[in-house]
Amino acid sequence: MAEEQIPGAPIEPITTWLAQHTTITEPLNIQLITGGRSNLTFAIRDSAGRQWVLRRPPLEVALASAHDVLREYRIVTALGSSAVPTAPTIAACNDTSVIGSAFALYRYVAGPVLHTSAAAAELPVVERNLLGFHVIDVLADLHMIDPDAVGLGDLGPREGYIERQIRRWSKQWDAQSPRRVAAWDAVGMQLQATPPHTQRLSIVHGDYRLGNMIIGAGHVQALLDWELCTLGDPLADLAYLANNWIQPGEQDLWGDSPTKIGGFPALQELLERYTARTGLDLTEIDRYRAFAQWRLAAILEGVGMPYTKAGPADKHTHHAITTKVEKHPLAGRGLLRM
């Protein structure tokens, strides 16, 4: 056994459980890949070189509904035979006595995740171009899946996605933060009064961006992080991707967008390709983009608010998050056209 114990991933019970569900050669090595207030992701490797990924809720859960790893496992399993690339599922455990929470096990998929422009810069330009088109093709493939055909027809309510989202995140903001941001309130009221018209019910990922994809050879190898997946309006996913698809020279308000280094297809090319693949009308895409930014602001506020009770370093992180929320021109960038 490896000696070091990682919070949230006790080695001995994981070894015992893993041996019951797949072939392993002890000892195991377990490393945290991503953590924080999203689901925790651990890389597991045995002495024979076999590799897996374990997903469990964070140790401190702020939004319980967003951290249902068993629901996420069900979604990924259902999509396993579709055109959407996902990590192969192995087994899930709802017995919280094993490691202190439910968890799910996936086959390891090799490849980088483009969280930053520096990571994207390591790709040849030709691969960036290919990847951009595959990213939009995968999104179109996801949105063209019949939820009932893959056993996900009960994944969420079938009507009123945008309206539900506005109610949910408005309540979430009120429950988690005493702050008010005038631009955020104003956009929320406008969207609630005249939400965009949903053309099709689809499986929506909820966080569709390059930072949630394992890539390789100019293609998406596995789409990750299905925590916010539900039934809803496909153009909400498309708008969220569009807001993260920063072109060279454009202002990047939400972080270090991988696409801002160039070499990726232009956003308009992707929108035209998506329309050709899905047949959906993008006349209201700017209003969807306003909704996507409004929703992301609420998510970031919920993520950042717990830092106000933490130490100086975490308070600095919270300040950086909330500054982005306050300064984002939600109502003044031409995204909201009523």
Side-chain angles (χ1 to χ4, degrees), residues 211-326:
N212 281 332
M213 304 172 191
I214 297 172
I215 60 97
H219 287 78
V220 181
Q221 302 299 325
L223 180 56
L224 310 173
D225 291 351
W226 295 84
E227 300 171 55
L228 298 178
C229 179
T230 188
L231 300 183
D233 191 323
L235 295 193
D237 268 350
L238 180 64
Y240 184 75
L241 175 67
N243 288 349
N244 282 276
W245 205 265
I246 307 300
Q247 303 293 288
E250 291 183 344
Q251 188 176 16
D252 187 2
L253 290 166
W254 289 110
D256 187 13
S257 172
T259 57
K260 71 181 183 182
I261 64 166
F264 292 90
L267 176 60
Q268 187 59 37
E269 292 183 271
L270 300 189
L271 296 180
E272 291 172 359
R273 190 177 180 105
Y274 179 87
T275 299
R277 297 271 310 236
T278 65
L280 293 175
D281 181 2
L282 303 189
T283 302
E284 293 189 287
I285 191 61
D286 283 347
R287 293 176 66 199
Y288 280 97
R289 292 187 67 179
F291 162 73
Q293 294 288 44
W294 178 89
R295 172 178 167 269
L296 181 58
I299 294 172
L300 289 178
E301 180 72 2
V303 170
M305 190 50 61
Y307 288 115
T308 60
K309 298 179 181 179
D314 281 345
K315 286 183 179 180
H316 175 76
T317 301
H318 174 258
H319 174 73
I321 292 172
T322 54
T323 297
K324 290 179 182 179
V325 173
E326 291 175 333

Side-chain angles (χ1 to χ4, degrees), residues 52-67:
W52 304 269
V53 168
L54 183 146
R55 293 268 287 172
R56 60 151 294 161
L59 301 180
E60 297 179 5
V61 178
L63 301 176
S65 63
H67 302 293

Side-chain angles (χ1 to χ4, degrees), residues 63-97:
L63 301 176
S65 63
H67 302 293
D68 188 342
V69 293
L70 299 182
R71 181 178 182 274
E72 183 180 54
Y73 181 87
R74 176 198 170 199
I75 293 167
V76 176
T77 301
L79 296 175
S81 60
S82 75
V84 178
T86 58
T89 56
I90 297 177
C93 178
N94 62 4
D95 182 355
T96 59
S97 69

Side-chain angles (χ1 to χ4, degrees), residues 142-161:
L142 174 64
H143 292 163
M144 294 300 288
I145 293 173
D146 178 356
D148 294 313
V150 294
L152 296 177
D154 61 347
L155 192 60
R158 304 176 77 92
E159 303 290 341
Y161 172 76

